[in-house]
């Protein structure tokens, strides 16, 4: 568990980072269209992994609104990996979890994102041979998408020593232009597939008002956990 301001194993860079009072007086990362955290992590999420994030959108402009993205190939290329966000022009602001394994695949939520509402979002990628299964949970509601791919790992072309594995919070990493407008709290990554029971436990936690101090206990087995307050 590492605050991104002091976790030397994770922290890389920020842009216009501000904090604001989030849900139940906890601090969150304020994203107003040009803010992001760039996290450099020892975990390179090129195979099975899962994530959890708690967010509120304050506006939904006419571009893709990126919550997070990972670049999994460097060496001068702009990178293709995974991303999470929504767009008014893509499924009417249903949340989109996209993973590139040649070809790319997307998994959409059934819930349409609305402004000024808090959402717990979780997702997982399971790769077995050339078969990929995506799962996306939004406020506990699960959607899935399975497909065949040609390479068996996440990223563009062959993974080599040049790829950086950076995780961007507040924008989609490979584009660098699709930023979020809203507040982000509690970002976690696992290098395995989390279960529906784990997601439901987290969702039950986020419905409690006021919060009780158990979030770090719930995230104890996450490889990367960032409390942004």
């Amino acid at each position: 568990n590492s605050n991104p301001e002091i976790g030397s194993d994770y922290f890389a860079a920020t842009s216009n980072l501000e904090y604001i009072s989030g849900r139940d007086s906890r601090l969150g990362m304020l994203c107003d269209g040009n803010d992001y955290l760039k996290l450099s992590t020892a975990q390179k999420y090129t195979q099975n992994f899962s994530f959890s994030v708690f967010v509120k959108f304050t506006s939904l402009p006419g571009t893709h609104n990126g919550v997070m993205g990972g670049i999994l190939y460097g060496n001068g290329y702009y990178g293709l990996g995974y991303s999470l966000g929504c767009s008014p022009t893509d499924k009417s602001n249903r949340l989109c979890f996209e993973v590139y394994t040649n070809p790319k695949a997307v998994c959409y939520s059934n819930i349409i994102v609305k402004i000024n509402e808090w959402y717990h979002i979780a997702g997982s990628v399971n790769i077995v041979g050339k078969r990929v299964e995506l799962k996306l949970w939004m406020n506990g509601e699960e959607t899935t998408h399975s497909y065949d791919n040609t390479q068996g790992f996440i990223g563009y072309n062959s993974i080599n020593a040049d790829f950086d594995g950076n995780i961007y919070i507040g924008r989609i990493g490979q584009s660098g232009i699709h930023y979020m407008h809203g507040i982000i709290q509690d970002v976690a990554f696992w290098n395995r597939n989390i279960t529906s029971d784990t997601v439901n436990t987290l969702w039950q936690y986020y419905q409690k008002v006021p919060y009780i101090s158990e979030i770090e206990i719930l995230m104890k087995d996450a490889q990367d956990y960032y409390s942004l307050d």
Side-chain angles (χ1 to χ4, degrees):
N1 297 348
S2 178
N3 186 309
E5 290 187 311
I6 61 175
S8 60
D9 290 339
Y10 307 106
F11 176 69
T14 66
S15 174
N16 302 315
L17 182 62
E18 297 179 55
Y19 289 107
I20 191 173
S21 180
R23 175 79 177 272
D24 198 36
S25 299
R26 294 182 61 212
L27 291 178
M29 174 181 162
L30 174 63
C31 304
D32 58 7
N34 61 354
D35 311 279
Y36 67 90
L37 273 174
K38 177 183 176 183
L39 304 171
S40 180
T41 171
Q43 294 289 334
K44 309 299 185 184
Y45 296 106
T46 61
Q47 292 288 335
N48 297 353
F49 79 94
S50 305
F51 68 86
S52 171
V53 63
F54 192 52
V55 302
K56 179 175 75 171
F57 292 87
T58 53
S59 68
L60 293 165
T63 59
H64 203 86
N65 299 278
V67 178
M68 69 171 199
I71 291 181
L72 294 177
Y73 184 76
N75 198 23
Y77 201 83
Y78 66 86
L80 286 166
Y82 53 89
S83 64
L84 176 71
C86 63
S87 170
T89 60
D90 187 11
K91 304 291 184 180
S92 301
N93 273 330
R94 284 179 170 83
L95 201 70
C96 173
F97 178 34
E98 180 178 303
V99 176
Y100 185 87
T101 60
N102 194 21
K104 70 178 181 180
V106 296
C107 187
Y108 291 98
S109 69
N110 290 324
I111 299 173
I112 296 176
V113 175
K114 298 179 180 179
I115 63 171
N116 296 322
E117 293 189 10
W118 284 98
Y119 296 103
H120 174 239
I121 303 163
S124 72
V125 184
N126 184 37
I127 302 175
V128 179
K130 298 299 178 66
R131 188 69 176 170
V132 178
E133 181 183 56
L134 303 184
K135 291 187 177 182
L136 178 64
W137 293 268
M138 189 169 180
N139 287 355
E141 182 175 320
E142 178 181 338
T143 54
T144 63
H145 176 62
S146 298
Y147 69 106
D148 294 318
N149 72 98
T150 62
Q151 63 186 32
F153 59 83
I154 301 168
Y156 183 82
N157 290 335
S158 60
I159 299 296
N160 59 32
D162 293 319
F163 85 101
D164 56 25
N166 288 330
I167 300 169
Y168 291 82
I169 308 300
R171 81 176 200 193
I172 295 176
Q174 59 255 40
S175 66
I177 58 175
H178 298 311
Y179 293 86
M180 182 182 171
H181 297 73
I183 303 172
I184 300 176
Q185 290 183 183
D186 297 330
V187 181
F189 287 86
W190 294 260
N191 61 357
R192 59 177 177 81
N193 298 122
I194 57 175
T195 65
S196 295
D197 287 344
T198 297
V199 175
N200 288 333
T201 299
L202 289 169
W203 170 227
Q204 292 299 318
Y205 165 77
Y206 284 119
Q207 292 182 82
K208 295 176 180 178
V209 179
Y211 285 158
I212 57 176
S213 57
E214 63 183 45
I215 187 63
E216 291 193 3
I217 297 174
L218 294 174
M219 299 295 191
K220 65 182 184 301
D221 63 342
Q223 272 62 48
D224 295 317
Y225 166 57
Y226 308 94
S227 176
L228 299 178
D229 64 352

